[in-house]
Structure formats: structure tokens, C-alpha cells
Amino acid sequence: MNDEEITSILFSTTDPISHLLGTWASEFSVGAVVLRLALSLALSAIIGWERSSKRHSAGFRTFIVVTLSGTLAMLLDISLCFRYSSKLFLLSAAAVVSSARIATRTLFFSSRNQIMGLTTSVALWASCFLGIAIGAGQYTLSLAAFVTLLFCLSKLPELEFYLKNRSNHFEIHLELKNSLNLQNFVTTIRRLGLKIDAIEMNPAYANSGLSVYSIAISISNDELKKYKTHREIISALSTLEYVSHIEEI
């Protein structure tokens, strides 16, 4: 396989932004490499800033490094294709696998038995793909993916909260002043037209003096389904004298 055939495979689809910038942007040149690294740095910095501003486990520098790694891996793969007539993009594949392993390190269990950091973990993995797309010179695809990813991370939580607050199923973190009050709480829940799907005692609070539970609840009352949100239901339950603290998880 000669250089012309490799070039035809790598750049067979004309990128609109690359076409506007000129042929140099689609070639494997010093200018194109600098542009792709700079674009990777800029886009990943914005995503990292969005994550770090919300105090997530992976933030500004982590997203930059992961995205730049994907870009660099693709640039090296392209270079090897030109130099050794290789058809395999091994470094890009390795970057995806490595980013997936790094992303799993951001997952952890909170004291309330919740898996935390799942969105950030997936976002890190997606950022590696973004870096690979940038390294391949797919500027239009990269910008479209960046806008979509940033929208999902920054705007969809509001929609998710709205839908979650009006679903028929939710889970609460409950702290009772005494374990003997659990039966009273269960009775009150059933009188309100709610159904308890599962109760789990939280061992993280074993020596705190509180009786702490994670409780899965379903709304079975038709009136509650129509007019009451989770926040309103939890607010009403918080007025019970034996409830020390209650919140949705």
C-alpha cells in the first residue's frame, strides 16, 4: 500500500470545516497537528471546567489529559500509517481501552450505598473518542460531538430532575431517632397511598446513634400520582416527630 492509497483511506470524506480552512488542515502537516492539539485542548478544557464547577470527581486537568491522549494516539497512528504502510490503528484502540479503565476509577459508593461518579466516568470515556475524532481531522464531527456532549452534561440534569420528581418510583434516605419508630413510619407511608418496595438498613451509620435506612417507594394512590411531586411528599414526611432527616437519593 503506497502513500496515496493510505491518504485516500484516511481522508476519503471531505470535512466541511477542513474544506473552509484549506487543504493544509486535512493534511498530516505541522500546522494541522498544532491545530488539532490546540482544538483538543480547548474543547476538553471547557468540558472539564463544566465538570469541576459542579465538584465532580474528575475535572479540568483530567478531561484535558484524557482528550489529548486520544488526539495524540490518533496522530501517532496516522504517522505510523504513512511511515510503515500500516492499516491498524492500535494506539487509538489502546487509548479507548485505557480511558475506559481510568473512567472506572472515578466510580465510588457513597455512605448512602449509591454509585457516584457514573456520569463523569462515561464523560471521560466519551472525551477520549472526541480526542480521536479531532486527531483524525474530523473537525465538523468533533465540534458537533463536543456541543452534544456539553449539552448532555450541563442541561439534561434539569430535565432528568423534572422527570424524576414526577415518576411513580423514588428512593429516600431516612434517619429515624429510634429503630422502634420504623413500624410507625411504614404505617404512615401506607396510609398515604405509598408502597414500600424495599428497605435496607445503612451500615455506615451503625454507631451513630441513629437508625438509618434506604427505602424504595412506589406511589400507588391515583391522587398522589396526579398532584404531588416527590419533594412535596418528602416535605410532608419530614414533619413526623420521630424523623430526624429525610431526603431523596
Side-chain angles (χ1 to χ4, degrees), residues 18-117:
S18 179
H19 180 72
L20 290 174
L21 293 174
T23 56
W24 67 271
S26 61
E27 295 173 350
F28 191 71
S29 60
V30 174
V33 169
V34 172
L35 173 62
R36 295 173 195 182
L37 289 174
L39 184 61
S40 178
L41 174 63
L43 299 187
S44 61
I46 295 172
I47 295 175
W49 172 81
E50 192 280 335
R51 292 283 87 189
S52 62
S53 66
K54 297 178 180 177
R55 302 178 66 83
H56 290 287
S57 54
F60 190 72
R61 290 178 298 172
T62 307
F63 274 89
I64 289 176
V65 172
V66 169
T67 308
L68 281 174
S69 297
T71 301
L72 182 59
M74 176 54 76
L75 289 172
L76 287 172
D77 272 335
I78 293 174
S79 177
L80 292 174
C81 283
F82 278 114
R83 180 169 297 184
Y84 302 108
S85 300
S86 173
K87 298 180 183 179
L88 301 176
F89 290 76
L90 296 178
L91 294 176
S92 300
V96 171
V97 174
S98 298
S99 66
R101 295 188 65 180
I102 292 171
T104 59
R105 302 293 182 181
T106 66
L107 298 174
F108 64 94
F109 283 90
S110 71
S111 60
R112 299 176 183 180
N113 293 329
Q114 288 180 286
I115 298 179
M116 306 295 291

Side-chain angles (χ1 to χ4, degrees), residues 158-170 219 224-233 248:
E158 298 174 7
L159 176 61
E160 182 180 25
F161 176 79
Y162 175 85
L163 296 175
K164 181 180 178 181
N165 199 36
R166 286 159 178 76
S167 69
N168 292 330
H169 306 277
F170 63 101
I219 303 175
L224 284 179
K225 289 180 181 180
K226 291 180 180 179
Y227 303 112
K228 297 297 181 183
T229 64
H230 300 174
R231 180 178 294 180
E232 291 171 319
I233 294 172
E248 185 172 6

